[in-house]
Amino acid sequence: MSSFLCKSYDKYKVSWKATNSVLANELLLREILKTTSYIKGRVLDIGCGEKPYRDIFSSRIDSYIGVDLPQTVHAKHAIDIFANAHYLPFKKNTFDTVLCLEVLEHVEMPLEVLKEIYGVLKKGGVLILSAPQNYWIHKDPVDFFRFTQEGLTEVVENQTGFSICYNRSLGGTREFFVDFICKYILIRLNTGVLNRILPNILKKLIITIPQRLYLILFKNTDVNNLFSIGNILVAIK
C-alpha cells in the first residue's frame, strides 16, 4: 500500500505524515470509497503517483495501469507509463475504468484531456474524476485551474459527452474554513523565526491535530457548499 494511506482494523485513512491536508484528503477518500461499486475491469489511473487507492479497488479489477509525468513530485516506483494526459498512448476503447483524481487542475487543456479519456474508455466505461474548487496552489509540477460543480458538469457532460451519475462536493463551507485556517497557520509557521526554531514534525502536528479532531467531531459535512474544497463525480461513456 502507498505511504499516503494506512489501514487499521479494515479501515482506510490518510497518513498525517504524508500530507499537510489531512482533512481535504480524508474527504476525498470518503467519496472514493463510495464509488468502489462503479470500478471494474481494466483500470487506467491518470496522474497515479504512488497509486494510493489501488488496494481499495483490487478485488474488483482485472488490471491497473498508472500513468504520470516524468517530472511528477511523487515517487516514481509505481508508475507504469510516463506520458502526458493530453496524448494517452493507448488504443481506443481499451479501458473499463479511468481514474483522474486531483489531476485536471494541473493540465493545460482540461477539455482535451477529457476527450482523450473518453476515447480510451470502452462503451459503458466509467470515469471517476475529482478536482479542487477552493484550495491552495499546489504545483505538481504546475497548477492552472479550479472547478465548481457546475463547471465540471459543463466540460464532462455537455462538452465531452459523458453521462454523470454521481456528483458530490468535497465538504462544505465549514470544512473549507478549517482547511483554510490550517493552511494559513502552516504558512506562518514556515516564515521568519518560527520557521527557524520549530522542527518540521512539530509544524505538521500543529496543523494536523485540529484537522483530525474536526473529523472525529463532525461525521457529516456542512450542507452549505458555497466554499466547497472540491468536487468528485462519476460519469459513464
Side-chain angles (χ1 to χ4, degrees):
M1 186 183 300
S2 166
S3 60
F4 182 72
L5 292 185
C6 51
K7 189 176 182 181
S8 177
Y9 302 105
D10 293 324
K11 184 178 181 180
Y12 293 95
K13 66 178 183 179
V14 174
S15 170
W16 67 273
K17 295 180 180 180
T19 178
N20 294 316
S21 304
V22 169
L23 173 59
N25 284 295
E26 283 283 355
L27 294 174
L28 177 59
L29 174 60
R30 287 181 187 178
E31 290 299 328
I32 289 172
L33 290 169
K34 294 175 185 177
T35 69
T36 53
S37 61
Y38 295 98
I39 303 291
K40 58 184 179 180
R42 299 189 66 189
V43 176
L44 173 64
D45 187 347
I46 298 175
C48 66
E50 297 180 31
K51 298 179 181 173
Y53 306 109
R54 176 176 54 181
D55 185 66
I56 295 174
F57 309 132
S58 59
S59 64
R60 304 187 58 86
I61 63 177
D62 299 324
S63 63
Y64 194 108
I65 302 296
V67 171
D68 214 322
L69 293 170
Q71 61 268 39
T72 177
V73 299
H74 300 285
K76 301 177 182 180
H77 63 274
I79 301 170
D80 299 298
I81 298 173
F82 292 103
N84 190 307
H86 296 86
Y87 312 102
L88 295 174
F90 306 104
K91 294 180 180 179
K92 302 295 184 184
N93 308 307
T94 297
F95 294 97
D96 301 289
T97 306
V98 172
L99 305 177
C100 187
L101 302 171
E102 306 300 287
V103 171
L104 209 60
E105 71 271 24
H106 298 294
V107 302
E108 293 93 335
M109 296 177 287
L111 181 58
E112 295 306 312
V113 170
L114 289 167
K115 290 178 178 178
E116 282 287 296
I117 292 171
Y118 191 91
V120 301
L121 271 173
K122 298 176 183 177
K123 182 66 175 178
V126 174
L127 165 64
I128 299 179
L129 171 74
S130 71
Q133 178 174 321
N134 293 289
Y135 196 67
W136 69 348
I137 295 173
H138 54 293
K139 295 182 180 296
D140 187 18
V142 289
D143 190 0
F144 293 114
F145 300 105
R146 295 294 179 268
F147 297 88
T148 63
Q149 200 168 68
E150 290 81 4
L152 284 181
T153 298
E154 174 63 28
V155 294
V156 171
E157 194 165 61
N158 299 336
Q159 297 186 30
T160 309
F162 285 98
S163 296
I164 296 174
C165 59
Y166 185 91
N167 199 351
R168 297 288 186 275
S169 296
L170 299 175
T173 300
R174 191 175 60 211
E175 287 75 27
F176 160 75
F177 182 73
V178 174
D179 182 74
F180 175 83
I181 291 298
C182 289
K183 294 290 195 301
Y184 180 76
I185 290 172
L186 182 61
I187 291 170
R188 301 307 302 170
L189 292 175
N190 285 328
T191 304
V193 175
L194 290 176
N195 183 47
R196 293 194 295 270
I197 66 175
L198 294 180
N200 288 332
I201 191 69
L202 180 56
K203 296 176 190 175
K204 189 175 285 288
L205 282 171
I206 288 171
I207 65 163
T208 296
I209 291 173
Q211 295 178 70
R212 282 288 184 208
L213 286 174
Y214 179 88
L215 289 163
I216 293 170
L217 294 173
F218 294 90
K219 300 299 183 183
N220 298 315
T221 56
D222 191 352
V223 295
N224 184 323
N225 60 5
L226 288 175
F227 289 93
S228 170
I229 293 174
N231 297 285
I232 186 170
L233 60 80
V234 179
I236 310 296
K237 177 177 177 179

